[in-house]
Amino acid sequence: MAITLHRFANPGQFLRLSGRILPYLAVAGVVLTLVGLGWGLFFAPADYQQGDAVRIIYIHVPAAWLASGGYFGLALCSLLSLVWRHPLADLAAVEIGPVGAGCTALCLATGSLWGRPMWGTWWVWDARLTSMLVLLFLYLGHIALVRAFDSPERGYRAGAILALIGVVDLPVIKFSVEWWNTLHQPASIKFTSAPTVFSGMLWPLLISILGFSLGFAAIVVARLRAAVMERRTRGLLLARAQEAA
Amino acid sequence: MTHLPFILASYGLAAAMILAFALSAWRRAGLAKRRLAAVDPRGRDA
C-alpha cells in the first residue's frame, strides 16, 4: 500500500495529473452547484411548515457535509504523513484546513440564519451546534499549529497529531442528534434507510452536495498545486544559495 | 417568498466564501507557476 501511495506522491507526477483533471473538476463543480442552488432557490417547493426558509438547506447541508468530510480528509492526510511519510500528505492537510474551516463557519452561519426564524434564536448550546463549533476550533487550531514552528516539519507533525486526536469529534457530530435531546432535527438522509425528504427537495439537495464537493476538491487541488510549486521554488533557490556559498 | 432576508444572507455568504476561496487559489497558483518558471524553465509546463 505504501509503495502504491508513494508512486502517486511524486510532485512532478502530481502536477501533471492535477493539471489535467483540475479544469474538469472546477467546471463540473461550478455547473452542478449552480444547477443545485438555482433549482433549490427557484423551483423546489417551499416547506409546509417552514415556508421558504427551508431553501437554506441547499447551502447548509452541503456546507455541513464538507465540514465533516474535509476534516476526515485532513485526518487521513495526517495519518498518511505520520505513518507512511507521504511527501504530499503534509501539504494536503495544510491546504484542506482553511477551506474546511470556511465550510464549517458557513454551516454555523447558515444554521444560525435558519434557526432564527424557525427556533426563535440565533444560537443554542445544543449538542449538534456545540460539536460543530468544536470542529471549527479544531480547524483553527490546526491552521495555527502548523504555522507555529520555525521548522515546517515540526509544525506538520504537531498539526497531524492534533488532527488525529480531533477526529473523535466527527462521530459526536454525527450521532449528537441521537445520543442527546437536541433542538436540531435528526438526519433526513441516511445510508441505511430511505430519505425522509420529499423528492422535489431531495434532488436539488443531492446535486448541490455533489457540486459543493467537486468545488471543494477543485479548490483544494488548486491550492495544493500552488503549494507544491512554492516548495519546489524554495528548494531550488536554497540549492542555488548553497552552491554559491 | 417568506424569510427573504435570511435566505439572501445565506446564499450571499455562500457565494462570497466560494468566490473568495476560488479567486485566491487561482491567483496563488498563477503566481507560484510564474515564480517557478522564473527559477526553473522546466517548471513552465506544470
Side-chain angles (χ1 to χ4, degrees):
Chain A
M1 184 181 175
I3 293 168
T4 311
L5 286 171
H6 275 78
R7 194 186 303 157
F8 293 105
N10 178 293
Q13 203 166 339
F14 168 76
L15 287 176
R16 277 190 296 278
L17 186 65
S18 63
R20 279 203 292 269
I21 65 163
L22 185 57
Y24 297 104
L25 211 53
V27 169
V30 169
V31 169
L32 287 173
T33 300
L34 287 177
V35 169
L37 294 186
W39 189 348
L41 194 55
F42 300 113
F43 303 107
D47 185 75
Y48 78 107
Q49 281 182 321
Q50 300 188 29
D52 288 300
V54 77
R55 298 184 198 285
I56 296 174
I57 199 174
Y58 304 108
I59 302 280
H60 179 71
V61 171
W65 158 256
L66 287 174
S68 294
Y71 195 86
F72 183 76
L74 193 156
L76 194 65
C77 289
S78 300
L79 186 71
L80 287 171
S81 159
L82 282 178
V83 177
W84 287 288
R85 299 269 189 263
H86 190 287
L88 287 180
D90 290 324
L91 289 181
V94 171
E95 298 307 331
I96 289 171
V99 191
C103 289
T104 312
L106 182 66
C107 171
L108 288 168
T110 54
S112 204
L113 284 162
W114 197 359
R116 181 71 184 93
M118 294 301 111
W119 298 340
T121 180
W122 296 102
W123 180 266
V124 283
W125 291 101
D126 169 281
R128 169 59 70 84
L129 276 68
T130 307
S131 54
M132 209 61 180
L133 184 64
V134 169
L135 185 69
L136 178 63
F137 291 148
L138 284 167
Y139 271 121
L140 296 179
H142 185 269
I143 292 167
L145 197 58
V146 292
R147 290 161 177 81
F149 294 86
D150 289 334
S151 155
E153 279 68 33
R154 288 183 64 198
Y156 297 154
R157 176 79 53 91
I161 292 168
L162 173 70
L164 288 176
I165 293 170
V167 89
V168 75
D169 192 39
L170 296 183
V172 175
I173 292 171
K174 167 86 178 108
F175 295 110
S176 56
V177 288
E178 295 171 23
W179 291 343
W180 294 285
N181 283 323
T182 62
L183 202 51
H184 194 284
Q185 67 175 63
S188 305
I189 304 172
K190 292 180 179 176
F191 292 113
T192 50
S193 57
T196 55
V197 183
F198 171 58
S199 62
M201 296 173 177
L202 181 65
W203 280 109
L205 180 59
L206 292 177
I207 292 171
S208 190
I209 290 172
L210 186 60
F212 267 70
S213 303
L214 293 175
F216 183 96
I219 288 170
V220 169
V221 168
R223 290 173 64 97
L224 187 52
R225 279 175 60 78
V228 168
M229 289 187 275
E230 285 162 2
R231 184 152 81 173
R232 192 192 272 189
T233 305
R234 271 197 307 275
L236 286 168
L237 289 174
L238 194 65
R240 279 187 195 172
Q242 282 171 343
E243 275 175 23
Chain B
M1 193 177 270
T2 63
H3 308 102
L4 194 60
F6 298 99
I7 298 168
L8 287 180
S10 297
Y11 280 71
L13 273 177
M17 196 201 78
I18 293 168
L19 277 177
F21 273 119
L23 286 177
S24 74
W26 180 60
R27 197 162 158 243
R28 187 178 152 204
L31 192 65
K33 192 172 179 176
R34 283 196 299 279
R35 282 189 179 153
L36 179 60
V39 175
D40 176 19
R42 288 175 304 163
R44 249 179 244 283
D45 58 345

